[in-house]
Amino acid sequence: MPKILVIDDDRAILLLATKALEPFAEVTTALTGEEGLEQVKSKSFDVVLLDIQLPDRSGMAIYCEIRAHDRRLPVIFMTADAGSQTTIEAMQLGAFDYIAKPLAVEPLQKLVNKAIEQRKMSSVAVAIAADDKLPDDSSELFIGKSQPMLEVFKSIGRVSKQDVPVLIRGESGTGKELVARALYQYSHRDQGPFLAVNCAALPDNLLESELFGHEKGAFTGAETRRIGKFEQCNGGTLFLDEIGDMAASVQAKVLRVLQEQRFERVGGNKELQTDVRIIAATNRPLEKMVEEGEYREDLLYRLNGVTIDLPPLRQRSSDIPLLVQHFLTQAKHDLNKPDLEGIAPETLSLLNAYRWPGNVRQLRAVIRRCVLDCVMPVIVPDVLPKELTAPSDSNEPAAAEKASGEAATEKADDSGVCGSKLPELVERLLRDKSTDVYAQTIEYLERFVILRVLQETGGNQSQAAEILGITRGKLRDRVITYGIQLYRDVSAN
């Protein structure tokens, strides 16, 4: 049976904890901190319940000694002072969890069982270890040994020294900027500047000024002359991310730079010359956008001198362990977690099985969150986000992949979200005793508004973004996040 040590100077607490835990564990009690330390050093325990306020010593100090003796031993703090300061201090020290007095039997049993399970998992050899030392230039590493990634590396090698435009295509989060940086680093322009512009992050008028610069007085607020990226990047490489979100007026000016390496600042008459290599990236179906009149065909052909297709993470799952180890080591260093050893085999299995709609970017975010939340030396499945441990419809390929970028809409009656169902949602969340009512309600409303506006615009995302008052990039991210399906024929849905 699991062995549990309860340290508290209140005999009633010791009796209650013993009665609650005896059905599934062997319980040992101690009335003082020193007595509890002696028990820890002389016997092996699976969980320790520790009172913060002890008669002889501070529970915090006792915890530090327990951790020094066995850092895999989960310690649950108990106290009648359930204030925020005490909770924060306990969790900062690395406590497994925190429970308030008077003790409630069922929550206590659940918490102790969870700690016992994690103690077992952390005692098994890790599937992936977190290295103590970061590799050089760790933030810029391009990781992968799978066949799809080897093809990407070959393409980079073939085209990097050729002074031609390159179009990088792939889903959001696959690492398109890393490809662009690799092309730059292995080119003959590696001594020149490398600048990146996210075309989806800026309104059309600001994007034009960002790229080409502007003269003083060109528009309201233009109090001084501004040098644009094409001018700053002379002799270097300019990376245009989310090139599919560029307005038609900006597309025409970019096309001219590609053809003639010439441009004018906004509000200016002087023609400027530059020598810039353009690398562009998109996750959008540019060919369909050309058919629908949203994108210039001649610009697509000019950008598409060479295309590099970056595979989604689900198509190179053999790279997941390599990526996990890299992100784990990086997070261990960045978040100051020196005791972190690695990831349990069960956790790695779940990471391998997930579809990763957010690709490498999502994987990195998950690993960093796990390292941040983990209080044991080994990351176990309980630390993973719910969508990884309880697969659902969200664990499917991204809606954007299924839809191939066609016009966006959904049938309101079938969406499960549209319509006047907000009161029903709130009532259900309250019945389920959810602790996330606000966030889920806001998500419900946001999804409803986006769907309704897309229906109004016949699926035209540019018009919808303008009506909503957000950028097209943000709208596209919401379409992917909420799994909004895309159809060509709006009226049929």
Side-chain angles (χ1 to χ4, degrees), residues 242-246 251 281-282 284 286 289 294-295 472:
E242 307 294 357
I243 195 76
D245 290 280
M246 188 176 284
Q251 291 176 33
T282 186
R284 303 192 66 185
L286 298 181
M289 292 175 66
E294 293 185 14
Y295 208 78
R472 283 167 292 179

Side-chain angles (χ1 to χ4, degrees), residues 259-312:
Q259 290 174 333
E260 303 174 11
Q261 294 283 301
R262 294 177 182 273
F263 66 96
E264 295 172 358
R265 299 191 190 104
V266 177
N269 297 316
K270 182 181 178 181
E271 189 174 68
L272 303 173
Q273 187 155 359
T274 188
D275 177 21
V276 175
R277 181 189 192 183
I278 293 180
I279 298 174
T282 186
N283 60 4
R284 303 192 66 185
L286 298 181
E287 290 79 7
K288 288 189 176 296
M289 292 175 66
V290 168
E291 291 176 9
E292 295 166 3
E294 293 185 14
Y295 208 78
R296 293 183 65 111
E297 186 175 20
D298 47 3
L299 177 58
L300 172 58
Y301 292 148
R302 293 292 301 189
L303 289 171
N304 203 11
V306 175
T307 298
I308 296 178
D309 291 306
L310 199 53

Side-chain angles (χ1 to χ4, degrees), residues 171-173 198 200-201 242 245 283-284 361 398-400 446 450 461 470-484:
E171 293 179 9
S172 180
N198 188 328
E242 307 294 357
D245 290 280
N283 60 4
R284 303 192 66 185
R361 185 186 297 135
E446 184 178 42
I450 289 174
Q461 294 188 39
I470 61 177
T471 65
R472 283 167 292 179
K474 184 173 182 180
L475 174 60
R476 189 175 64 257
D477 287 342
R478 290 295 186 271
V479 167
I480 294 172
T481 299
Y482 296 143
I484 297 174

Side-chain angles (χ1 to χ4, degrees), residues 421-432 437 441:
K421 296 184 179 180
L422 181 60
E424 295 178 18
L425 171 66
V426 174
E427 290 300 323
R428 178 173 60 78
L429 293 172
L430 291 174
R431 283 197 307 272
D432 294 343
V437 175
T441 305

Side-chain angles (χ1 to χ4, degrees), residues 202-211 219 226:
L202 296 170
D204 297 338
N205 60 329
L206 293 183
L207 176 60
E208 187 173 4
S209 174
E210 183 75 13
L211 293 176
F219 50 82
R226 175 187 175 88

Side-chain angles (χ1 to χ4, degrees), residues 381-398:
D382 282 349
V383 186
L384 292 172
K386 291 180 181 178
E387 62 266 25
L388 273 76
T389 54
S392 63
D393 291 342
S394 63
N395 194 1
E396 292 292 335

Side-chain angles (χ1 to χ4, degrees), residues 291-434:
E291 291 176 9
E292 295 166 3
E294 293 185 14
Y295 208 78
R296 293 183 65 111
E297 186 175 20
D298 47 3
L299 177 58
L300 172 58
Y301 292 148
R302 293 292 301 189
L303 289 171
N304 203 11
V306 175
T307 298
I308 296 178
D309 291 306
L310 199 53
L313 186 54
R314 60 184 169 275
Q315 291 180 9
R316 57 182 189 109
S317 57
S318 61
D319 289 333
I320 289 178
L322 296 172
L323 291 162
V324 167
Q325 183 172 42
H326 172 65
F327 295 144
L328 195 63
T329 300
Q330 201 174 54
K332 176 180 178 178
H333 179 269
D334 294 346
L335 302 176
N336 192 25
K337 291 273 191 170
D339 292 337
L340 183 68
E341 294 180 3
I343 285 184
E346 297 88 346
T347 309
L348 181 59
S349 296
L350 290 169
L351 294 174
N352 280 324
Y354 190 57
R355 297 284 294 178
W356 298 109
N359 294 294
V360 179
R361 185 186 297 135
Q362 183 188 10
L363 175 60
R364 180 179 184 271
V366 166
I367 296 300
R368 290 183 70 84
R369 182 59 187 268
C370 288
V371 172
L372 185 64
D373 292 344
C374 185
V375 295
M376 302 291 284
V378 177
I379 295 176
V380 297
D382 282 349
V383 186
L384 292 172
K386 291 180 181 178
E387 62 266 25
L388 273 76
T389 54
S392 63
D393 291 342
S394 63
N395 194 1
E396 292 292 335
E401 179 188 19
K402 293 179 178 179
S404 301
E406 296 174 349
T409 188
E410 271 195 4
K411 189 174 182 179
D413 294 339
D414 297 335
S415 69
V417 175
C418 292
S420 56
K421 296 184 179 180
L422 181 60
E424 295 178 18
L425 171 66
V426 174
E427 290 300 323
R428 178 173 60 78
L429 293 172
L430 291 174
R431 283 197 307 272
D432 294 343
K433 300 189 183 302
S434 171

